[in-house]
Amino acid sequence: DAGVTQSPTHLIKTRGQHVTLRCSPISGHKSVSWYQQVLGQGPQFIFQYYEKEERGRGNFPDRFSARQFPNYSSELNVNALLLGDSALYLCASSFSGLGANVLTFGAGSRLTVL
Amino acid sequence: DAKTTQPTSMDCAEGRAANLPCNHSTISGNEYVYWYRQIHSQGPQYIIHGLKNNETNEMASLIITEDRKSSTLILPHATLRDTAVYYCIVRVQADSNYQLIWGAGTKLIIKP
């Protein structure tokens, strides 16, 4: 079975541009979470979606948005990119958003903002 | 804010047990402790999790103190492929969702 797949794997943008990152969860998983990992730090929670509804949002500005589609895949959008948005963006899926679930992470999308 | 503190780095000889400590003195009664590891900017890999009792699986053992203020991850027979950054994480409940609160992790280097 395929794991969590993310695209693109690497991308370079300039300040002020917009970026869309995509995530396909493990088959049967209904919850998707997004994390940002700046170099040298642990991941930080951005969003969680379950059954196409936003269930949680971390301490990120409104430039960050996301959505989940009927097939449970998800997109993370970031507008008006800043240099500080350069990071590895991780998507994780789980069967549900509740209980002692284990998150399975994808390999991430590495965003560089110039 | 991170709810865990870990050593920045540790070494361990190949074939020996690697014991990775973690302090989580502000953990609440319903918050789980999770361990993940990350090999050179790949996606984090789940290792183990627990609430109160010690846990063991095919990868590792998790020992949680009785007061739940600290825990230790044990890799029983470390190999070179276990070289990675190990994260001790507290899972907190916020409204209708759960979030993993990550610290800075411990860089574990397994030496031949």
Side-chain angles (χ1 to χ4, degrees), chain A residues 35 37 42-43 45 48 55-56 97-103 105-106 110, chain B residues 32 34 36 38 41 43-44 46 49 87 91 96-100 102-103:
Chain A
Y35 286 79
Q37 186 175 25
F45 173 75
Q48 185 199 10
R55 288 299 183 94
L98 306 173
N101 273 277
V102 170
L103 296 185
F105 284 83
R110 182 163 297 283
Chain B
Y32 281 75
Y34 281 68
Y36 278 75
Q38 190 172 28
S41 294
Y46 167 78
H49 73 281
Y87 292 97
R91 192 197 71 165
S96 61
N97 76 93
Y98 292 92
Q99 299 178 19
L100 299 182
W102 304 62

Side-chain angles (χ1 to χ4, degrees), chain A residues 78-101:
Chain A
V78 187
N79 292 324
L81 285 167
L82 304 174
L83 296 180
D85 295 330
S86 295
L88 181 67
Y89 288 85
L90 295 162
C91 173
S93 76
S94 61
F95 178 72
S96 77
L98 306 173
N101 273 277

Side-chain angles (χ1 to χ4, degrees), chain B residues 36-56:
Chain B
Y36 278 75
R37 71 182 183 184
Q38 190 172 28
I39 298 172
H40 192 55
S41 294
Q42 296 178 19
Q45 176 191 22
Y46 167 78
I47 302 173
I48 199 167
H49 73 281
L51 182 62
K52 296 180 183 178
N53 300 320
N54 298 337
E55 303 288 340
T56 295

Side-chain angles (χ1 to χ4, degrees), chain B residues 12-79:
Chain B
C12 180
E14 187 178 18
R16 305 295 295 268
N19 296 274
L20 291 88
C22 178
N23 287 319
H24 33 78
S25 58
T26 61
I27 196 169
S28 299
N30 63 347
E31 293 175 345
Y32 281 75
V33 177
Y34 281 68
W35 284 82
Y36 278 75
R37 71 182 183 184
Q38 190 172 28
I39 298 172
H40 192 55
S41 294
Q42 296 178 19
Q45 176 191 22
Y46 167 78
I47 302 173
I48 199 167
H49 73 281
L51 182 62
K52 296 180 183 178
N53 300 320
N54 298 337
E55 303 288 340
T56 295
N57 63 21
E58 64 278 4
M59 287 184 69
S61 294
L62 174 60
I63 308 299
I64 302 174
T65 58
E66 193 169 339
D67 63 8
R68 300 210 329 120
K69 292 185 177 182
S70 65
S71 60
T72 301
L73 177 74
I74 301 172
L75 306 179
H77 304 287
T79 70

Side-chain angles (χ1 to χ4, degrees), chain A residues 48-61:
Chain A
Q48 185 199 10
Y49 277 78
Y50 176 64
E51 288 284 14
K52 301 176 286 295
E53 291 188 3
E54 181 182 303
R55 288 299 183 94
R57 169 188 281 261
N59 188 23
F60 280 81

